[in-house]
Amino acid sequence: MIVLKFGGTSVGDAEAIERTAAIVKGRLPRQPAVVVSALGGATNQLLAIGEQSAKGHLIGALRGVETLRDRHFQECEKLLGTSAEASEVAAEMSASFDELASLAEALSILGHATPRSFDAIAAFGEQLSSQLVASFFKLREIPAEHVDARDVFITDDDFMSAEPQTDAIAENAREIVQPLIAEGKIPVMGGFIGRTASGITTTLGRGGSDYSASLLGAALHAEAIEIWTDVDGMLTADPRVVKGSQLIEQIRFDEASELASFGAKVLHPNTIAPAVRLGIPVFIYNSRNPGGKGTRITVDAPRRAVSAIAGKSGITVLQVGAAKMLFARGFLRRVFEIFEKNGVSVDVVATSEVSISVTIDDPAALESLVVELASLGDVSVERDRAIVSVVGAAISEDSAAMGRAIGALDGIKVHMMSLSATGINLTIIVDGDQLAPAMERLHNVFFGTVK
Ligand code: ADP
Ligand code: ASP
Ligand code: MG
């Protein structure tokens, strides 16, 4: 069997869902299980409804609910017309939107929303899209069966970025999904969403449908996991930032994982791990160009010096300076203990004789980090920085590539730079507004297309 995941733009409207059905139909002999995202943009709208409600802006929130309701009904009508399925789906959707409106009202009375409430709201997106897609598939003679993803994806209660419980997921997948496949059915479920062992709805974090697909693929020992999106595959840089980025036909798991962690949104950063464990290849394809070659992510793809450039903005740099303390025994441990205690993960680290610099991309715990780090030395905070990454499995063995990377940044202020001994990623911290120029220049040097 294989797992097919369709992102928001691949199920964004009736035409996109038509294309998705054709792709699934072409793969029926391979026994696909289908994972879908919410209709493109719906998750953002749902979270905005949550925020408005919590601020007491109930009218705005309910307007948001109506806009989403209209969109879903319009697409439903285009897809299902007056079929028997149509009225059933419409009734279910109507009940969901009523429930969403009640939630918005409740939050506006409370004047407060917790991560748990945001998950309850965000989960509507994938529930609605998966029901709609499953019903449309049936109309196209695909023997689809809707599965409530929450019955399969058990997680912890770290709302908004819940940790999947892989054993429970594997068991549920075997009990709920596998028998459907064995009967010749095509299970269709929402990505991104799950629930705790006690039944509370959770989500795996933004972009988490890729992760759901990978978890399902691992649970069912799939032959392949296909991520269908709006670009031809993994490219040498984000095409929205760098013109002339090129398709990477084959890339290694470790490189793809590094790129995803450092800003290549085409893949959720956790997607790779479950597939790697079982050696399941992951493919990325364009649902608008289904005949394209796509990208194949495997263990044994060629080791290149540079495979792609990634970038991520909104980075905060924290520096702890302690001239005498820095290399005293236990100093680094104490620094990192503070990050661990605050639940903050660090992306890039660099040390000098007198200071240690680290980057974080979530400033939520910044205040408490600064207070605690101040007990170890002088702390300074630099906001609005960006990380540019040059990713390649063999980069640290290729001094010419390193030289070209550094040369390309001539004239751009570099705040930090880091490359580990097994380096597959040269990370460079620049000012936030230098992210695009730095990516373009690096791309130009290695892939030579930008004039
Ligand atoms: P989906 O809704 O299908 O999950 P996403 O918007 O999450 O799609 O991811 C696809 C987007 O990722 C592309 O439109 C592209 O702008 C962005 N992206 C960033 N870096 C890369 C890259 N290196 N290769 C391809 N796409 C990238
Ligand atoms: N719909 C969710 C999001 O927009 C999950 C996903 O699309 O992967 O973040
Ligand atoms: Mg995505």
Side-chain angles (χ1 to χ4, degrees):
M1 62 88 51
I2 57 174
V3 175
L4 305 178
K5 178 262 172 175
F6 294 91
T9 45
S10 305
V11 293
D13 55 26
E15 291 76 49
I17 295 175
E18 239 347 316
R19 284 193 293 270
T20 295
I23 293 164
V24 173
K25 235 177 167 176
R27 281 161 159 75
L28 289 180
R30 299 184 67 195
Q31 299 186 294
V34 176
V35 173
V36 295
S37 290
L39 307 198
T43 309
N44 286 345
Q45 284 171 291
L46 286 162
L47 293 173
I49 289 167
E51 267 158 30
Q52 282 187 310
S53 311
K55 282 187 198 145
H57 301 161
L58 183 59
I59 294 176
L62 292 179
R63 210 177 288 137
V65 176
E66 288 320 302
T67 307
L68 266 181
R69 187 197 294 260
D70 290 347
R71 178 176 173 200
H72 280 81
F73 275 99
Q74 263 172 28
E75 302 309 332
C76 177
E77 206 183 311
K78 280 193 224 157
L79 288 167
L80 304 178
T82 52
S83 62
E85 284 286 315
S87 52
E88 207 177 295
V89 176
E92 277 175 30
M93 286 201 323
S94 191
S96 296
F97 282 107
D98 292 347
E99 204 184 311
L100 180 60
S102 310
L103 254 171
E105 273 169 45
L107 292 182
S108 78
I109 294 168
L110 283 171
H112 176 67
T114 58
R116 174 174 162 170
S117 338
F118 278 113
D119 275 356
I121 289 184
F124 280 94
E126 269 69 9
Q127 271 299 93
L128 288 159
S129 66
S130 54
Q131 279 165 345
L132 187 58
V133 167
S135 302
F136 179 65
F137 279 8
K138 285 186 202 154
L139 208 67
R140 284 286 175 269
E141 277 139 15
I142 298 170
E145 188 84 28
H146 182 253
V147 173
D148 187 334
R150 293 170 297 187
D151 294 340
V152 177
F153 294 95
I154 305 301
T155 71
D156 70 3
D157 63 357
D158 187 8
F159 296 101
M160 297 181 87
S161 67
E163 187 70 36
Q165 314 283 293
T166 44
D167 289 345
I169 293 171
E171 201 178 310
N172 294 336
R174 278 194 298 270
E175 270 172 25
I176 301 168
V177 186
Q178 188 115 55
L180 292 174
I181 297 173
E183 274 172 47
K185 299 261 169 64
I186 309 299
V188 176
M189 63 191 96
F192 178 57
I193 59 178
R195 65 162 63 110
T196 63
S198 60
I200 318 289
T201 297
T202 56
T203 70
L204 303 179
R206 296 307 307 271
S209 293
D210 301 333
Y211 193 17
S212 307
S214 178
L215 289 163
L216 184 67
L220 296 176
H221 293 248
E223 286 155 41
I225 297 160
E226 298 185 357
I227 309 285
W228 288 83
T229 183
D230 62 352
V231 283
D232 280 341
M234 196 158 244
L235 307 173
T236 48
D238 185 344
R240 288 184 212 181
V241 182
V242 176
K243 279 188 218 85
S245 53
Q246 300 147 26
L247 177 68
I248 308 170
E249 286 181 30
Q250 271 191 67
I251 190 165
R252 299 167 63 84
F253 277 133
D254 53 0
E255 292 179 332
S257 177
E258 200 74 11
L259 285 167
S261 302
F262 284 88
K265 186 189 170 216
V266 64
L267 214 53
H268 182 278
N270 294 344
T271 306
I272 294 296
V276 173
R277 247 171 261 133
L278 295 167
I280 303 170
V282 178
F283 295 83
I284 304 178
Y285 293 116
N286 189 347
S287 62
R288 291 205 179 100
N289 175 24
K293 287 185 181 151
T295 296
R296 180 168 184 267
I297 310 173
T298 55
V299 250
D300 54 1
R303 283 181 91 245
R304 285 177 290 251
V306 177
S307 282
I309 314 293
K312 159 156 115 159
S313 56
I315 299 296
T316 304
V317 178
L318 279 159
Q319 270 194 45
V320 187
K324 281 192 214 117
M325 294 271 292
L326 186 61
F327 293 106
R329 208 173 302 148
F331 179 76
L332 292 178
R333 176 180 50 78
R334 282 155 67 196
V335 169
F336 287 110
E337 264 171 8
I338 293 174
F339 283 94
E340 190 186 354
K341 189 174 142 225
N342 284 279
V344 176
S345 66
V346 164
D347 278 332
V348 183
V349 182
T351 57
S352 77
E353 191 62 26
V354 291
S355 69
I356 169 167
S357 305
V358 300
T359 69
I360 58 173
D361 64 4
D362 179 5
L366 189 60
E367 226 170 283
S368 105
L369 278 175
V370 170
V371 169
E372 292 181 39
L373 289 169
S375 66
L376 301 179
D378 300 331
V379 182
S380 70
V381 177
E382 298 165 8
R383 291 171 203 267
D384 194 26
R385 298 281 190 251
I387 301 182
V388 189
S389 296
V390 183
V391 173
I395 188 167
S396 56
E397 295 151 31
D398 189 328
S399 56
M402 296 282 286
R404 285 160 80 196
I406 292 165
L409 296 174
D410 186 17
I412 291 183
K413 185 165 170 48
V414 171
H415 292 276
M416 258 171 90
M417 197 178 281
S418 170
L419 176 74
S420 71
T422 53
I424 71 159
N425 185 358
L426 173 67
T427 47
I428 300 142
I429 313 300
V430 298
D431 287 321
D433 60 2
Q434 294 300 304
L435 176 62
M439 283 180 71
E440 273 169 12
R441 288 219 219 157
L442 287 164
H443 192 269
N444 192 24
V445 147
F446 290 108
F447 304 100
T449 49
V450 181
K451 299 271 155 2

